[in-house]
């Protein structure tokens, strides 16, 4: 373990790329089919939450109990719709100033990990050509416990060889900020500060994060 060295962990959806809107549209389509009302506000509870758990929540909202086969079919349908949305993704869908931050951190030679609940993380990073910035990817395929459990970030810290208390996490989800806090890491909320009020720091997006702030995190 490299004590004292700072590790950076980025969530994917809603932090690096604006895919939260595609997740919302895909869930909304399924919700409409099932006659369940689903708003953007409801979608906040889906951010950072595994695909499986999202469908459980949606069915709870509609008071529906279904067979395992039906559950799997709807899960697959949502993912197919989501994949259709992201099929044409390219670098233009990277959120503002994310490449600048990644480039700056790379220049400082700090280890960088992805910490995402998504099982689609690797192909998305590849499409937007940001894969080379990451030393390791920890995603929905490598965890058993979903955020707010700290597992995803603790695995990322271990893979980076950095102590959890020396890691910084960028997150747009309430569950993700809780996961980072539960891991004993520094949490940085990206988005609405009122929603992400448990974060150690809050920024609307990366345009508000200057290089001095990033460098201060290294000390
Ligand atoms: C998270 C998103 O990053 O990934 C959630 O914030 C999503 O909304 C979760 O449900 C799982 O993503 P996927 O791509 O595996 O369905
Ligand atoms: Mg997210």
């Amino acid at each position: 373990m490299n004590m004292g060295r700072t590790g950076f962990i980025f969530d994917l959806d809603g932090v690096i790329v604006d895919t939260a809107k595609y997740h919302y549209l895909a869930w909304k389509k399924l919700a409409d089919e099932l006659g369940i009302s689903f708003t953007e506000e409801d979608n906040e509870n889906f951010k950072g939450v595994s695909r499986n758990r999202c469908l459980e929540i949606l069915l709870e909202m509609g008071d529906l109990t279904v067979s395992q086969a039906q559950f799997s079919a709807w899960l697959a349908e949502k993912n197919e719709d989501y994949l259709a949305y992201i099929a044409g993704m390219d670098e233009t869908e990277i959120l503002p100033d994310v490449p600048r931050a990644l480039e700056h951190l790379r220049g400082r030679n700090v280890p960088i990990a992805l910490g995402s609940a998504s099982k689609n993380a690797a192909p998305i990073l590849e499409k937007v050509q940001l894969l080379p910035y990451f030393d390791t990817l920890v995603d929905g395929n490598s965890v058993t416990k979903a955020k707010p459990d700290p597992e995803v970030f603790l695995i990322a810290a271990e893979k980076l060889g950095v102590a959890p208390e020396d890691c910084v996490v960028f997150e747009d989800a309430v569950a993700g900020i809780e996961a980072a806090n539960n891991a004993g890491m520094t949490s940085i909320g990206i988005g609405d500060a009122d929603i992400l009020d448990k974060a150690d720091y809050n920024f609307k997006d990366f345009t508000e994060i200057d290089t001095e702030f990033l460098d201060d995190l290294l000390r």
Side-chain angles (χ1 to χ4, degrees), residues 11-14 19-20 23-24 27 43 45-52 54 78-79 82-83 86 115-121 124 140-141 147 171-173:
D11 173 49
L12 176 71
D13 297 310
T19 40
H23 279 296
Y24 169 66
W27 283 122
N43 191 55
N45 301 324
F46 281 37
K47 289 185 177 174
V49 176
S50 72
R51 196 184 310 163
N52 212 70
C54 287
K78 185 270 169 181
N79 194 49
Y82 177 67
L83 290 178
I86 64 167
S116 167
S118 174
K119 294 184 173 173
N120 297 305
I124 290 174
N141 299 299
K147 300 170 186 176
E171 258 292 351
D172 72 314

Side-chain angles (χ1 to χ4, degrees), residues 4 22-23 50 88 98 124 139 150 153 163 187 200 207-208 216:
Y22 299 141
H23 279 296
S50 72
V98 169
I124 290 174
D139 63 19
F153 296 141
S187 55
D200 294 319
T207 64
E208 293 186 346
D216 280 346

Side-chain angles (χ1 to χ4, degrees), residues 115-173:
S116 167
S118 174
K119 294 184 173 173
N120 297 305
I124 290 174
L125 278 184
E126 192 156 15
K127 276 178 206 294
V128 301
Q129 298 184 21
L130 289 179
L131 208 44
Y133 286 101
F134 292 86
D135 296 296
T136 185
L137 305 186
V138 185
D139 63 19
N141 299 299
S142 33
V143 297
T144 55
K145 290 174 241 153
K147 300 170 186 176
D149 190 282
E151 184 187 28
V152 60
F153 296 141
L154 291 175
I155 294 175
E158 198 181 327
K159 286 194 166 184
L160 293 179
V162 176
E165 61 269 29
D166 293 327
C167 286
V168 176
V169 176
F170 296 99
E171 258 292 351
D172 72 314

Side-chain angles (χ1 to χ4, degrees), residues 20-132:
K21 65 183 180 205
Y22 299 141
H23 279 296
Y24 169 66
L25 291 172
W27 283 122
K28 173 85 180 137
K29 178 172 166 282
L30 181 63
D32 286 349
E33 281 167 27
L34 305 184
I36 301 169
S37 144
F38 185 71
T39 64
E40 291 202 42
E41 206 180 326
D42 296 322
N43 191 55
E44 283 302 319
N45 301 324
F46 281 37
K47 289 185 177 174
V49 176
S50 72
R51 196 184 310 163
N52 212 70
R53 182 67 197 131
C54 287
L55 182 53
E56 284 176 4
I57 297 172
L58 186 70
L59 297 180
E60 281 162 20
M61 287 166 63
D63 228 347
L64 291 179
T65 311
V66 299
S67 69
Q68 190 52 51
Q70 181 62 79
F71 189 93
S72 301
W74 282 337
L75 206 58
E77 180 185 328
K78 185 270 169 181
N79 194 49
E80 275 162 33
D81 290 332
Y82 177 67
L83 290 178
Y85 281 118
I86 64 167
M89 264 183 96
D90 61 20
E91 314 87 276
T92 60
E93 296 195 56
I94 299 172
L95 287 164
D97 271 7
V98 169
R100 178 185 58 78
L102 286 169
E103 193 64 41
H104 182 75
L105 294 172
R106 251 300 94 120
R108 292 280 188 262
N109 216 11
V110 297
I112 303 175
L114 188 85
S116 167
S118 174
K119 294 184 173 173
N120 297 305
I124 290 174
L125 278 184
E126 192 156 15
K127 276 178 206 294
V128 301
Q129 298 184 21
L130 289 179
L131 208 44

